[in-house]
Amino acid sequence: SKFPISTADASSCGLQIHFNADLVGGDFVRLVFAGNDPGNRLVVEGYLVWVRKNAVDIFGRYTAGVRMKQPDSALPAKMVKAETALQP
């Protein structure tokens, strides 16, 4: 199912996500960062390594670590490009 996320701490092997869906460690996720230009669309697939419930729901009820299915040393730069495209 589709749901919004926010991201943090992106590296070549994974990233941290914040969300409100009920997911557990080991779940497969497909994250799609879609900008205004279809050419800026970024897809990241991976597995949740850990999931924890947040004490305070600022960015989402849950925070999780995602290990990418295929590591990509350029991921942080690609994410900046995709997120910049989302700005009005």
Side-chain angles (χ1 to χ4, degrees):
S1 65
K2 294 181 180 182
F3 54 88
I5 64 166
S6 61
T7 62
D9 300 331
S11 72
S12 62
C13 297
L15 65 154
Q16 186 180 103
I17 61 173
H18 308 281
F19 55 93
N20 288 318
D22 290 322
L23 301 173
V24 297
D27 281 352
F28 176 80
V29 292
R30 184 172 193 258
L31 310 175
V32 179
F33 301 89
N36 297 329
D37 175 2
N40 284 334
R41 183 178 173 144
L42 173 64
V43 177
V44 175
E45 295 181 328
Y47 295 90
L48 300 181
V49 178
W50 54 268
V51 177
R52 74 166 189 247
K53 188 168 184 175
N54 296 322
V56 179
D57 181 4
I58 295 174
F59 299 110
R61 286 185 327 202
Y62 301 96
T63 297
V66 179
R67 178 179 44 203
M68 292 174 45
K69 188 175 173 184
Q70 295 180 346
D72 180 355
S73 61
L75 176 65
K78 289 178 183 177
M79 288 183 65
V80 168
K81 183 176 179 183
E83 290 179 1
T84 300
L86 293 172
Q87 301 300 316

